[in-house]
Amino acid sequence: MAFQIPRGTQDILPSESSKWQYVEQIARELCRRYNYKEIRTPIFEHTELFLRSVGDTTDIVQKEMYTFTDRGGRSITLRPEGTAAVVRSFVENKMYGDPNQPVKLYYLGPMFRYERPQSGRFRQFVQFGVEAIGSNDPAIDAEVIALAMDLYRSLGLKKIKLVINSLGDISSRKAHREALIAHFKGRIHEFCEDCQVRLENNPLRILDCKKDREHELMKTAPSILDYLNEESRAYFEQVKSYLNKLGIPFEVDPRLVRGLDYYNHTAFEIMSEAEGFGAITTLCGGGRYNGLVQEIGGPETPGVGFALSIERLLAALAAEGIALPIEEGIDCYVVALGEEAKKEAVPLVYALRNEGISVEKDYQDRKVKAQFKAADRLQAKYVIIVGEDELARNVANVKNMQTGEQVEVALSELTTYMKKVCKGEY
């Protein structure tokens, strides 16, 4: 039987994994500069966590979660997103008592959603996200957005667009909810079954419907911005003011609602405008989630964050034709000639690696010419040649593969010499 990878997943092969490592390194360094610390949560959680936080009327909960019953009879779900797990950990570990507030966290790891696989979208995908929990300051909203924009810009993306909206507070959303129900109710039979259910349960979700997005009532639906109370309006104006001060361009889209129930006040998405990127242009989404900490059992604590797919980030880089500055090749390759030299090559390679030098040797008992070809394929900067004659004189020949220059170096000084040449000191 020939086994195949499950649908909606992918193998990240060595030829591609260096890109992932580079992007992840940039994200981690950016978080260091912004003072966000890494948090690692389990890949699976109790199902109730996502029902309470994400919302039981969302597509994620109703259609996309990987849920199973474990041997203890407990309902377990592979995490479909990162915020709920981070907030659960925040509450369980009483991080609200940390003297350094807000608590600023980031995560990087696999998420799971059962949805139709398509370009840049998988059933197992890697998500990078940040959460700032413990501040009601609009400046932290702007900081979170700035961090996301900085990540894309630092990788060279230029054809991106920031779209923001306000979902308001509870009273604003209640007034908007009533207006939405009145707007859609008379013709809700023209919408999909999901929207018909959403009308009473969560009418805001209708605006996020993919099937009926072109319906004429969508274009004339009441705008949340018209129902913001004074406090919500002032908050949104402050967020926009901070973005302007940071020099971050944005568009306001009253129809932007996000797909999770816990969002309120600020909501935002970053989209790719690269030609040929695809129909689904969203790269990153996030916003404020005041109330989520209480919903999960903690004290009243505000929060804001975002999440983005590494797969879609890489797809955006490809769409803009951006090649990441990844250093290829190894420092050196050891060519051994003769049985005694092959034996001595083993501790020599080990010693070089202990000095921080990337090095490889032949393990296929190949001829000299084939070993040099292997060094070329591995893009070795230097080749160290050790044969019977060299061993007898306790030396090695070091060849610069770019210039062709070759020098003789005493074996006792070889590791020191290679450290210097690899650093460009010779």
Side-chain angles (χ1 to χ4, degrees):
M1 177 180 178
F3 290 99
Q4 293 184 323
I5 192 170
R7 188 167 184 256
T9 63
Q10 62 175 333
D11 293 319
I12 301 171
L13 302 178
S15 59
E16 291 294 314
S17 62
S18 58
K19 297 178 184 177
W20 285 72
Q21 292 166 6
Y22 181 84
V23 168
E24 291 166 3
Q25 178 185 350
I26 295 296
R28 292 181 190 278
E29 170 58 22
L30 196 59
C31 285
R32 185 194 66 80
R33 299 209 306 262
Y34 275 74
N35 194 35
Y36 284 73
K37 308 297 185 183
E38 185 178 14
I39 184 171
R40 303 188 185 193
T41 63
I43 287 179
F44 58 86
E45 300 268 359
H46 294 289
T47 302
E48 179 64 18
L49 172 66
F50 301 113
L51 296 179
R52 294 189 64 177
S53 60
V54 175
D56 56 9
T57 63
T58 62
D59 284 349
I60 290 176
V61 168
Q62 291 186 341
K63 302 176 182 180
E64 298 173 2
M65 293 203 315
Y66 279 92
T67 299
F68 60 95
T69 302
D70 70 6
R71 294 186 179 184
R74 294 168 289 259
S75 181
I76 298 295
T77 295
L78 298 179
R79 60 187 185 192
E81 58 95 41
T83 300
V86 170
V87 173
R88 187 269 310 150
S89 180
F90 175 88
V91 173
E92 187 172 350
N93 292 286
K94 297 181 172 59
M95 284 189 269
Y96 47 79
D98 192 317
N100 295 317
Q101 296 289 331
V103 175
K104 298 164 70 172
L105 306 166
Y106 79 89
Y107 59 86
L108 182 63
M111 308 290 164
F112 305 85
R113 295 185 192 176
Y114 187 88
E115 54 185 345
R116 184 173 64 86
Q118 51 190 299
S119 178
R121 181 161 289 187
F122 299 88
R123 290 176 176 172
Q124 176 180 321
F125 56 98
V126 176
Q127 198 172 77
F128 166 71
V130 307
E131 315 291 351
I133 310 174
S135 173
N136 259 323
D137 190 340
I140 200 73
D141 298 43
E143 176 182 285
V144 163
I145 293 171
L147 197 162
M149 292 293 286
D150 277 355
L151 176 59
Y152 291 120
R153 287 171 173 170
S154 65
L155 291 167
L157 288 174
K158 292 182 175 59
K159 299 176 182 179
I160 55 175
K161 178 176 70 174
L162 170 64
V163 179
I164 66 172
N165 190 26
S166 173
L167 303 180
D169 59 10
I170 293 176
S171 64
S172 300
R173 293 182 70 168
K174 183 178 180 181
H176 185 229
R177 170 192 169 91
E178 293 171 356
L180 286 173
I181 292 175
H183 178 75
F184 288 111
K185 192 169 185 179
R187 297 175 63 182
I188 194 63
H189 61 278
E190 299 174 14
F191 288 74
C192 68
E193 292 183 7
D194 289 338
C195 285
Q196 293 177 35
V197 173
R198 289 167 180 155
L199 181 67
E200 295 299 331
N201 293 338
N202 194 343
L204 192 65
R205 293 272 70 75
I206 296 176
L207 302 179
D208 201 36
C209 180
K210 303 299 185 291
K211 293 181 182 177
D212 296 314
R213 67 174 68 184
E214 299 301 324
H215 194 285
E216 60 178 318
L217 288 185
M218 289 291 204
K219 300 174 183 177
T220 58
S223 167
I224 180 64
L225 298 180
D226 294 331
Y227 293 86
L228 296 180
N229 56 27
E230 185 175 344
E231 181 181 353
S232 295
R233 191 178 305 278
Y235 192 95
F236 191 41
E237 289 301 318
Q238 284 186 285
V239 172
K240 291 191 291 182
S241 175
Y242 280 123
L243 291 174
N244 285 326
K245 288 179 183 295
L246 294 174
I248 299 175
F250 61 87
E251 295 179 11
V252 175
D253 182 357
R255 292 183 294 276
L256 175 62
V257 299
R258 301 295 300 140
L260 306 173
D261 281 357
Y262 51 64
Y263 285 118
N264 47 60
H265 286 296
T266 308
F268 70 91
E269 289 185 355
I270 300 172
M271 303 174 180
S272 171
E273 296 185 302
E275 185 177 348
F277 180 70
I280 302 174
T281 61
T282 302
L283 297 175
C284 168
R288 183 161 281 279
Y289 47 82
N290 299 350
L292 181 57
V293 174
Q294 298 96 294
E295 184 67 29
I296 294 179
E300 184 176 349
T301 312
V304 62
F306 73 77
L308 62 87
S309 159
I310 300 295
E311 287 86 349
R312 294 189 66 74
L313 192 163
L314 290 170
L317 291 170
E320 291 196 30
I322 297 172
L324 297 177
I326 298 169
E327 186 175 347
E328 303 287 352
I330 60 175
D331 292 326
C332 67
Y333 190 98
V334 175
V335 171
L337 313 174
E339 291 303 317
E340 194 61 32
K342 291 176 185 177
K343 293 177 183 177
E344 292 301 319
V346 173
L348 173 58
V349 166
Y350 184 71
L352 290 167
R353 288 169 177 166
N354 281 342
E355 293 296 334
I357 299 169
S358 59
V359 57
E360 187 57 277
K361 67 174 289 295
D362 174 57
Y363 292 99
Q364 300 290 334
D365 199 25
R366 288 176 284 202
K367 302 295 184 182
V368 174
K369 188 176 181 180
Q371 290 186 54
F372 269 96
K373 285 184 178 180
D376 279 334
R377 287 194 299 271
L378 292 172
Q379 299 180 50
K381 299 179 181 69
Y382 297 89
V383 168
I384 298 173
I385 306 160
V386 181
E388 303 296 338
D389 178 61
E390 284 81 5
L391 286 180
R393 295 186 293 115
N394 288 314
V395 298
N397 282 298
V398 179
K399 182 176 182 179
N400 185 318
M401 295 297 281
Q402 284 188 322
T403 66
E405 181 184 359
Q406 186 167 303
V407 296
E408 192 172 83
V409 182
L411 288 175
S412 60
E413 300 174 3
L414 183 60
T415 55
T416 301
Y417 176 82
M418 290 306 302
K419 280 178 66 177
K420 289 185 177 181
V421 297
C422 289
K423 291 180 180 179
E425 296 179 8
Y426 278 158

